[in-house]
């Protein structure tokens, strides 16, 4: 056993571990679910690059097998591989839309991955046959994306134990907070914005803790309770997200909500839910939990799925823009500066102005105002709070952009109706050059083509220039634009958001308004 052979193996292992960053990133973005990660994995192992890596590994292994003295060549080569992999992964993470977050879970998986590598090498060393050891190291490098899945399987008992500990701790904190009112907010879309609107209005009277950003998973809610709950909290507002049947119930079992609000139901995450009926049932898991406590349920009466299901429950409060709702908006005027409207209740009305863009935000505000009024917030405080609302980050957020242009940042909006509404908002900017940058919509199952086609049609009617991200993903939108007879010279199909910015920014000036519509994470770009 030579020193150079040992160095060869060591460098191969270093390269394999450092080279796992992309795999961990994709696994994390797919919610640590192996079946979803498998879609990315299939693409990964059909590329010519993978074939070349296997060929390279086989060549070096064969030479190592034939000439044991070849180690003095393979060691430096693998050192170079390790260095190249390190810097390429580092660069890749910096340019990623959503880079790998080194959470405690990821760190534990890294440790397990290292142990797997060490165990395989140990078995090879035990046989005193270095060429096999070298070959095993090379195979681990080539198939390192699969080791991530194995590490996750091995760690499952640990992750369950850790999660159970944190969940029990969060439940204890909630139970010990005297007089606490818990409110769950869910929906296919609109839940994050509505959550922040509700917490802002309620804060006029109460001390409120709210789940930050898009913390809408069980562990996201648990983390909020354990890290953000302040002494004297009177109301806890929890956003509840779902991609599978039972997800909302899981969060409700932790939070035990006293009140609930369902913002909308539509064809979101159809690839995991399977049907719109499953989506309806899952969103109403919140209503089921609230009903068990004889609590109040606030429902968007403008949504056909919600209205149809609402008849199965008592103590419901419909809100929206229809006059038969308990709270509804009328006299609505939308512009590029915001919206004015009246919120009508059974016993009065409030005339309000909001800087939030889009008619869908009128619904969100009415729903939040209905809960706030039910909890005793005065009409004057509701009006003041609505007037002071700021856009939720990356949800129709208006900003200054390059060269004096105006940016409408709707990057976190990924639902069909919301995307069409965002294009409608863009149409209000009269006299300005209107530009959209979008990769389209995902996770809509069999409706994905239809919804992206509709987005392409809407963009074609409003936009002066269109930037589509993703050569394959953009096809439904390009089909729609072609059918409209849209000028091909004003359509730019690019492979990445960065490429879109490189083409767009030099053309901008203060007469331009740019809409960023849905900025997909790296695992969807193709």
């Amino acid at each position: 056993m030579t020193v150079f052979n040992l160095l060869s193996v060591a460098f191969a292992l270093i390269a394999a571990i450092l080279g796992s960053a992309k795999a961990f990133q994709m696994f994390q973005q797919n919610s640590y679910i192996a079946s979803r990660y498998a879609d990315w994995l299939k693409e990964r192992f059909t590329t010519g690059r993978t074939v070349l890596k296997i060929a390279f590994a086989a060549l070096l292994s064969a030479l190592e097998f034939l000439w044991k003295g070849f180690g003095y060549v393979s060691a430096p080569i693998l050192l170079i591989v390790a260095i190249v992999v390190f810097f390429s992964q580092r660069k890749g993470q910096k340019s990623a839309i959503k880079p790998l977050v080194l959470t405690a879970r990821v760190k534990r998986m890294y440790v397990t991955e290292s142990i797997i590598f060490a165990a395989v090498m140990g078995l090879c060393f035990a046989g005193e046959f270095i060429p096999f050891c070298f070959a095993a190291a090379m195979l681990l490098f080539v198939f390192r994306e699969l080791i991530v899945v194995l590490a996750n399987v091995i760690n499952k008992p640990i992750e369950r134990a850790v999660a159970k500990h944190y969940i029990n701790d969060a439940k204890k904190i909630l139970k010990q907070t005297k007089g606490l009112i818990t409110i769950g907010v869910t929906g296919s879309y609109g839940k994050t914005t509505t959550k922040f609107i509700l917490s802002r209005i309620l804060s006029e009277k109460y001390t409120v803790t709210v789940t930050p950003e898009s913390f809408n998973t069980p562990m996201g809610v648990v983390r909020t309770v354990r890290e953000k709950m302040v002494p004297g909290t009177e109301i806890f507002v929890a956003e509840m997200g779902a991609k599978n049947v039972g997800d909302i119930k899981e969060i409700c079992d932790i939070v035990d909500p006293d009140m609930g609000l369902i913002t909308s139901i539509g064809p979101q995450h159809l690839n995991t839910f399977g049907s719109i009926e499953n989506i309806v049932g899952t969103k109403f898991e919140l209503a089921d939990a609230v009903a068990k406590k004889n609590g109040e349920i606030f429902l968007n009466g403008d949504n056909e799925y919600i209205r149809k299901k609402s008849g199965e429950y008592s103590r419901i409060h419909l809100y929206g823009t229809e006059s038969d709702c308990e709270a509804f908006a009328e006299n609505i005027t939308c512009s590029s500066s915001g919206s004015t409207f009246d919120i009508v209740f059974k016993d009065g009305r409030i005339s309000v102005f909001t800087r939030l863009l889009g008619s869908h935000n009128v619904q969100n505000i009415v729903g939040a105002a209905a809960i706030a009024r039910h909890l005793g917030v005065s009409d004057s405080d509701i009006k003041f709070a609505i007037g002071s609302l700021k856009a939720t980050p990356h949800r129709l957020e208006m900003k200054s952009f390059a060269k004096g242009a105006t940016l409408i940042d709707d990057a976190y909006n990924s639902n069909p109706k919301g995307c069409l509404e965002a294009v409608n908002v863009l149409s209000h900017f009269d006299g300005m050059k209107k530009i959209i940058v979008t990769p389209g919509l995902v996770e809509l199952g069999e409706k994905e083509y239809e919804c992206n086609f509709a987005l392409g049609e809407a963009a074609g009617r409003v936009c002066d220039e269109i930037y589509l991200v993703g050569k394959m993903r953009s096809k439904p939108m390009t089909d729609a634009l072609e059918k409209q007879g849209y000028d091909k010279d004003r359509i730019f199909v690019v492979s990445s958001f960065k490429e879109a910015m490189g083409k767009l920014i030099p053309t901008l000036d203060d007469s331009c308004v740019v809409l960023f519509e849905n900025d997909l994470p790296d695992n969807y770009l193709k």
Side-chain angles (χ1 to χ4, degrees), residues 55 173 287 298 315 317 324 378 384 389 394 431 447 465 478 504:
I173 293 170
F298 291 78
R315 300 177 71 91
H317 307 271
D324 63 341
S378 69
F384 173 78
L389 288 171
H394 310 296
K447 289 185 175 292
E465 288 183 0
T478 54
L504 171 62

Side-chain angles (χ1 to χ4, degrees), residues 8 29 51 162 196-197 404 432 519:
S8 300
Q29 289 186 12
V51 173
V162 170
F196 284 124
I197 294 170
M432 298 185 75
D519 189 6

Side-chain angles (χ1 to χ4, degrees), residues 195-380:
K195 167 189 68 178
F196 284 124
I197 294 170
L198 177 59
S199 64
R200 174 64 191 90
I201 298 175
L202 291 175
S203 67
E204 289 295 311
K205 182 175 180 178
Y206 298 99
T207 300
V208 183
T209 296
V210 59
T211 51
E213 300 170 345
S214 293
F215 277 45
N216 58 20
T217 64
M219 296 314 296
V221 172
V222 165
R223 183 179 172 186
T224 302
V225 173
R226 297 181 70 248
E227 298 179 5
K228 305 290 185 182
M229 188 77 77
V230 298
T233 295
E234 297 169 288
I235 295 178
F236 175 49
V237 180
E239 179 182 345
M240 300 179 177
K243 291 186 177 180
N244 294 281
V245 174
D247 284 355
I248 301 297
K249 182 182 183 302
E250 186 178 354
I251 300 175
C252 288
D253 289 343
I254 298 168
V255 173
D256 193 23
D258 302 293
M259 303 174 70
L261 186 151
I262 303 178
T263 61
S264 58
I265 291 177
Q268 191 80 338
H269 305 306
L270 267 175
N271 61 325
T272 52
F273 277 114
S275 68
I276 195 72
E277 290 76 20
N278 286 339
I279 297 175
V280 172
T282 302
K283 299 305 178 184
F284 271 84
E285 288 170 1
L286 172 58
D288 294 336
V290 172
K292 287 180 181 178
K293 298 185 72 173
N294 203 28
E296 311 295 329
I297 306 165
F298 291 78
L299 305 173
N300 182 354
D302 290 349
N303 184 279
E304 58 178 314
Y305 299 110
I306 292 177
R307 187 177 277 266
K308 184 177 179 180
K309 184 76 171 176
S310 66
E312 300 176 18
Y313 297 84
S314 59
R315 300 177 71 91
I316 64 165
H317 307 271
L318 294 180
Y319 69 87
T321 58
E322 301 292 333
S323 59
D324 63 341
C325 292
E326 188 174 312
F328 65 93
E330 66 176 13
N331 302 324
I332 303 168
T333 302
C334 297
S335 70
S336 60
S337 60
S339 301
T340 59
F341 56 98
D342 295 336
I343 306 176
V344 182
F345 301 97
K346 290 181 178 180
D347 57 351
R349 72 172 55 217
I350 310 172
S351 297
V352 299
F353 166 76
T354 179
R355 293 181 181 84
L356 300 188
L357 301 174
S359 60
H360 63 297
N361 273 323
V362 172
Q363 292 178 331
N364 297 335
I365 289 170
V366 173
I371 289 184
R373 206 168 190 260
H374 184 83
L375 290 173
V377 181
S378 69
D379 288 356
S380 60

Side-chain angles (χ1 to χ4, degrees), residues 47-104:
T47 62
R49 182 176 58 178
T50 300
V51 173
L52 287 174
K53 285 194 298 184
I54 293 174
F56 176 70
L59 175 63
L60 286 184
S61 299
L63 290 171
E64 188 77 15
F65 181 79
L66 292 173
W67 296 296
K68 293 184 180 181
F70 189 70
Y72 77 94
V73 177
S74 58
I77 288 176
L78 289 172
L79 173 60
I80 294 170
V81 169
I83 292 172
V84 170
V85 166
F86 173 75
F87 283 104
S88 65
Q89 290 290 330
R90 187 179 181 186
K91 182 181 179 181
Q93 289 301 302
K94 282 186 176 181
S95 62
I97 297 171
K98 188 177 180 182
L100 174 67
V101 180
L102 285 176
T103 61

